[in-house]
Amino acid sequence: MPKLKTKSGSKKRFKKTAHGYIKRKHAFKNHLLTKKSKKRKRNLSVFTLLKKSSQKNIEMQI
């Protein structure tokens, strides 16, 4: 059976860390930013780790 191609959307959205975890960005940081507080926007711009329940599914796509 041939090798599977990686999903190009997942390739752009997720990155693997050195310890094997997967990093992701927060949602709601694209538009309509004037009504959101500075604190909220600042916290949304920080990368976070993927939950363990989703990690197995995403690892197959990267």
Side-chain angles (χ1 to χ4, degrees), residues 1-16:
M1 202 161 129
K3 291 183 179 179
L4 294 174
K5 288 187 177 182
T6 60
K7 302 283 186 186
S8 58
S10 298
K11 185 170 51 176
K12 296 168 193 170
R13 288 182 174 90
F14 302 105
K15 298 279 183 245
K16 265 197 166 179

